[in-house]
Amino acid sequence: MALLPILEYPHPNLRKVARRVEHFDDELRRLVDDMFETMYAAPGIGLAATQVDVHRKIAVVDVSEGKDQPLVLINAEILEASGVEEMEEGCLSIPGLHEKVARKERVRVRYQDLDGVEHELDTGGLLAVCIQHELDHLEGRLFIDHLSPLKRERALKKYEKLRKRERA
Ligand code: GNR
Ligand code: NI
């Protein structure tokens, strides 16, 4: 197991679009193990492969209180989405910035597990928001992309200040 470095905004590779996973092998298992370790250590409730500079459709999620409900989503797609929900989001790739984002309230997701077996999941609440956030990363999108131009401008200025303070 190993902690992986997380890319931070504005790293250009955060904009890359991930490709499908074709081989469900030991290399994939090792990467997923390392992604979980990195996510739990951060700590975070989700992590997309894009954030660790691997451009494959892989995301790990655990929104449980006890951090004991790991979920691996490979080649995930949203089949159906409904409703609207606003939630405050953060991102390990934009550390320190938290903004309200409007997302779909419920999603039906089709994905494969580590063995390549297909599953469907119908969910809402924090898990639905987190899944949408992670699938966005795999398409090169960040939560700030969902803000209005004005809010996004303000958020990025805030982030710049946070960064400068951290470097000082
Ligand atoms: O740890 C995380 N918290 C979070 C809170 C609200 C909505 C989404 C998230 S995901 C984030 C971890 C992360 O950056 N995943 O890509
Ligand atoms: Ni994120």
Side-chain angles (χ1 to χ4, degrees):
M1 298 261 277
L3 286 180
L4 305 170
I6 298 176
L7 300 182
E8 291 186 4
Y9 184 86
H11 196 292
N13 291 4
L14 287 170
R15 296 306 186 178
K16 288 179 89 169
V17 176
R19 292 189 295 150
R20 290 179 64 81
V21 170
E22 307 281 359
H23 304 289
F24 293 81
D25 54 14
D26 284 348
E27 194 187 329
L28 176 67
R29 282 168 199 279
R30 264 197 301 276
L31 172 63
V32 166
D33 272 356
D34 290 346
M35 285 175 65
F36 272 117
E37 190 181 359
T38 304
M39 178 190 81
Y40 286 127
I45 60 170
L47 187 70
T50 307
Q51 293 176 278
V52 296
D53 214 7
V54 174
H55 303 283
R56 290 284 174 180
K57 290 190 167 203
I58 307 163
V60 298
V61 169
D62 189 342
V63 301
S64 70
E65 287 280 334
K67 297 288 151 211
D68 54 359
Q69 284 172 54
L71 178 64
V72 188
L73 302 167
I74 297 170
N75 297 331
E77 330 165 46
I78 294 180
L79 301 175
E80 259 182 69
S82 61
V84 181
E85 177 166 51
E86 272 209 342
M87 208 180 270
E88 180 129 308
E89 296 195 20
C91 181
L92 296 173
S93 295
I94 320 178
L97 193 70
H98 298 91
E99 300 291 336
K100 259 195 179 174
V101 177
R103 299 275 188 187
K104 298 295 187 177
E105 187 187 344
R106 285 204 78 81
V107 291
R108 201 151 69 84
V109 185
R110 179 161 62 207
Y111 66 95
Q112 285 168 285
D113 64 21
L114 275 173
D115 296 314
V117 177
E118 275 199 4
H119 300 269
E120 277 189 26
L121 171 68
D122 195 319
T123 192
L126 184 57
L127 181 56
V129 168
C130 188
I131 288 172
Q132 290 171 79
H133 177 115
E134 302 316 331
L135 298 193
D136 264 359
H137 276 302
L138 299 178
E139 299 292 334
R141 283 191 300 266
L142 297 165
F143 80 85
I144 50 172
D145 302 343
H146 292 277
L147 303 175
S148 69
L150 182 62
K151 283 188 179 164
R152 187 180 160 156
E153 222 23 65
R154 284 185 184 147
L156 288 176
K157 279 197 183 121
K158 207 188 323 178
Y159 180 63
E160 267 307 300
K161 276 188 192 162
L162 282 173
R163 306 252 76 187
K164 276 184 194 145
R165 212 174 301 156
E166 216 154 87
R167 280 197 297 265

